[in-house]
PDB file of all heavy atoms in Angstrom:
ATOM      1  N   ARG A1020     -36.859 -57.343 -86.287  1.00  0.00           N
ATOM      2  CA  ARG A1020     -36.753 -56.301 -87.378  1.00  0.00           C
ATOM      3  C   ARG A1020     -37.937 -56.272 -88.336  1.00  0.00           C
ATOM      4  O   ARG A1020     -38.178 -55.135 -88.900  1.00  0.00           O
ATOM      5  CB  ARG A1020     -35.476 -56.514 -88.112  1.00  0.00           C
ATOM      6  CG  ARG A1020     -34.205 -56.315 -87.160  1.00  0.00           C
ATOM      7  CD  ARG A1020     -32.985 -56.815 -87.950  1.00  0.00           C
ATOM      8  NE  ARG A1020     -31.855 -56.760 -87.054  1.00  0.00           N
ATOM      9  CZ  ARG A1020     -30.588 -57.113 -87.186  1.00  0.00           C
ATOM     10  NH1 ARG A1020     -30.414 -57.793 -88.295  1.00  0.00           N
ATOM     11  NH2 ARG A1020     -29.642 -57.021 -86.189  1.00  0.00           N
ATOM     12  N   ALA A1021     -38.707 -57.196 -88.403  1.00  0.00           N
ATOM     13  CA  ALA A1021     -40.032 -57.293 -89.146  1.00  0.00           C
ATOM     14  C   ALA A1021     -41.180 -56.573 -88.443  1.00  0.00           C
ATOM     15  O   ALA A1021     -42.219 -56.397 -89.067  1.00  0.00           O
ATOM     16  CB  ALA A1021     -40.277 -58.572 -89.753  1.00  0.00           C
ATOM     17  N   GLY A1022     -41.025 -56.499 -87.168  1.00  0.00           N
ATOM     18  CA  GLY A1022     -42.048 -55.932 -86.308  1.00  0.00           C
ATOM     19  C   GLY A1022     -43.108 -56.945 -86.074  1.00  0.00           C
ATOM     20  O   GLY A1022     -44.252 -56.636 -85.726  1.00  0.00           O
ATOM     21  N   ALA A1023     -42.709 -58.218 -86.089  1.00  0.00           N
ATOM     22  CA  ALA A1023     -43.746 -59.307 -86.073  1.00  0.00           C
ATOM     23  C   ALA A1023     -43.791 -59.637 -84.500  1.00  0.00           C
ATOM     24  O   ALA A1023     -42.900 -59.340 -83.651  1.00  0.00           O
ATOM     25  CB  ALA A1023     -43.280 -60.581 -86.812  1.00  0.00           C
ATOM     26  N   THR A1024     -44.882 -60.400 -84.219  1.00  0.00           N
ATOM     27  CA  THR A1024     -45.109 -60.907 -82.859  1.00  0.00           C
ATOM     28  C   THR A1024     -45.324 -62.413 -82.810  1.00  0.00           C
ATOM     29  O   THR A1024     -46.280 -62.830 -83.515  1.00  0.00           O
ATOM     30  CB  THR A1024     -46.247 -60.147 -82.203  1.00  0.00           C
ATOM     31  OG1 THR A1024     -46.010 -58.824 -82.244  1.00  0.00           O
ATOM     32  CG2 THR A1024     -46.441 -60.737 -80.765  1.00  0.00           C
ATOM     33  N   LEU A1025     -44.652 -63.138 -81.975  1.00  0.00           N
ATOM     34  CA  LEU A1025     -44.885 -64.544 -81.774  1.00  0.00           C
ATOM     35  C   LEU A1025     -45.933 -64.760 -80.685  1.00  0.00           C
ATOM     36  O   LEU A1025     -45.749 -64.128 -79.658  1.00  0.00           O
ATOM     37  CB  LEU A1025     -43.531 -65.292 -81.422  1.00  0.00           C
ATOM     38  CG  LEU A1025     -42.417 -65.092 -82.431  1.00  0.00           C
ATOM     39  CD1 LEU A1025     -41.206 -66.023 -81.985  1.00  0.00           C
ATOM     40  CD2 LEU A1025     -42.771 -65.495 -83.857  1.00  0.00           C
ATOM     41  N   ARG A1026     -47.022 -65.494 -80.899  1.00  0.00           N
ATOM     42  CA  ARG A1026     -48.003 -65.508 -80.002  1.00  0.00           C
ATOM     43  C   ARG A1026     -48.264 -66.804 -79.275  1.00  0.00           C
ATOM     44  O   ARG A1026     -48.559 -66.899 -78.153  1.00  0.00           O
ATOM     45  CB  ARG A1026     -49.319 -65.214 -80.734  1.00  0.00           C
ATOM     46  CG  ARG A1026     -49.464 -63.839 -81.236  1.00  0.00           C
ATOM     47  CD  ARG A1026     -50.801 -63.449 -81.943  1.00  0.00           C
ATOM     48  NE  ARG A1026     -50.862 -62.139 -82.132  1.00  0.00           N
ATOM     49  CZ  ARG A1026     -50.464 -61.559 -83.228  1.00  0.00           C
ATOM     50  NH1 ARG A1026     -49.825 -62.110 -84.096  1.00  0.00           N
ATOM     51  NH2 ARG A1026     -50.716 -60.187 -83.281  1.00  0.00           N
ATOM     52  N   TRP A1027     -48.086 -67.945 -80.020  1.00  0.00           N
ATOM     53  CA  TRP A1027     -48.395 -69.202 -79.482  1.00  0.00           C
ATOM     54  C   TRP A1027     -47.202 -70.211 -79.270  1.00  0.00           C
ATOM     55  O   TRP A1027     -46.442 -70.381 -80.263  1.00  0.00           O
ATOM     56  CB  TRP A1027     -49.574 -69.907 -80.313  1.00  0.00           C
ATOM     57  CG  TRP A1027     -50.030 -71.262 -79.744  1.00  0.00           C
ATOM     58  CD1 TRP A1027     -50.779 -71.549 -78.801  1.00  0.00           C
ATOM     59  CD2 TRP A1027     -49.721 -72.605 -80.375  1.00  0.00           C
ATOM     60  NE1 TRP A1027     -51.079 -72.895 -78.559  1.00  0.00           N
ATOM     61  CE2 TRP A1027     -50.426 -73.508 -79.481  1.00  0.00           C
ATOM     62  CE3 TRP A1027     -48.927 -72.975 -81.455  1.00  0.00           C
ATOM     63  CZ2 TRP A1027     -50.271 -74.938 -79.770  1.00  0.00           C
ATOM     64  CZ3 TRP A1027     -48.769 -74.322 -81.608  1.00  0.00           C
ATOM     65  CH2 TRP A1027     -49.478 -75.319 -80.878  1.00  0.00           C
ATOM     66  N   GLY A1028     -47.130 -70.788 -78.179  1.00  0.00           N
ATOM     67  CA  GLY A1028     -46.168 -71.917 -77.996  1.00  0.00           C
ATOM     68  C   GLY A1028     -46.665 -73.068 -77.478  1.00  0.00           C
ATOM     69  O   GLY A1028     -47.655 -73.165 -76.867  1.00  0.00           O
ATOM     70  N   LEU A1029     -45.971 -74.274 -77.771  1.00  0.00           N
ATOM     71  CA  LEU A1029     -46.432 -75.574 -77.346  1.00  0.00           C
ATOM     72  C   LEU A1029     -45.257 -76.344 -76.623  1.00  0.00           C
ATOM     73  O   LEU A1029     -44.141 -76.480 -77.238  1.00  0.00           O
ATOM     74  CB  LEU A1029     -46.878 -76.420 -78.550  1.00  0.00           C
ATOM     75  CG  LEU A1029     -47.324 -77.828 -78.288  1.00  0.00           C
ATOM     76  CD1 LEU A1029     -48.717 -77.818 -77.606  1.00  0.00           C
ATOM     77  CD2 LEU A1029     -47.449 -78.629 -79.537  1.00  0.00           C
ATOM     78  N   ASP A1030     -45.459 -76.641 -75.418  1.00  0.00           N
ATOM     79  CA  ASP A1030     -44.562 -77.360 -74.585  1.00  0.00           C
ATOM     80  C   ASP A1030     -44.716 -78.911 -74.709  1.00  0.00           C
ATOM     81  O   ASP A1030     -43.764 -79.709 -74.578  1.00  0.00           O
ATOM     82  CB  ASP A1030     -44.431 -76.953 -73.192  1.00  0.00           C
ATOM     83  CG  ASP A1030     -43.946 -75.480 -73.052  1.00  0.00           C
ATOM     84  OD1 ASP A1030     -43.003 -75.140 -73.939  1.00  0.00           O
ATOM     85  OD2 ASP A1030     -44.612 -74.746 -72.264  1.00  0.00           O
ATOM     86  N   ASP A1031     -45.941 -79.383 -74.791  1.00  0.00           N
ATOM     87  CA  ASP A1031     -46.236 -80.826 -74.764  1.00  0.00           C
ATOM     88  C   ASP A1031     -47.039 -81.180 -75.894  1.00  0.00           C
ATOM     89  O   ASP A1031     -48.185 -80.939 -76.109  1.00  0.00           O
ATOM     90  CB  ASP A1031     -47.112 -81.123 -73.537  1.00  0.00           C
ATOM     91  CG  ASP A1031     -47.406 -82.471 -73.382  1.00  0.00           C
ATOM     92  OD1 ASP A1031     -46.913 -83.448 -74.197  1.00  0.00           O
ATOM     93  OD2 ASP A1031     -48.214 -82.874 -72.376  1.00  0.00           O
TER      94      ASP A1031
END
Side-chain angles (χ1 to χ4, degrees):
R1020 292 170 185 173
T1024 300
L1025 305 183
R1026 293 180 169 85
W1027 181 76
L1029 178 71
D1030 293 318
D1031 182 2

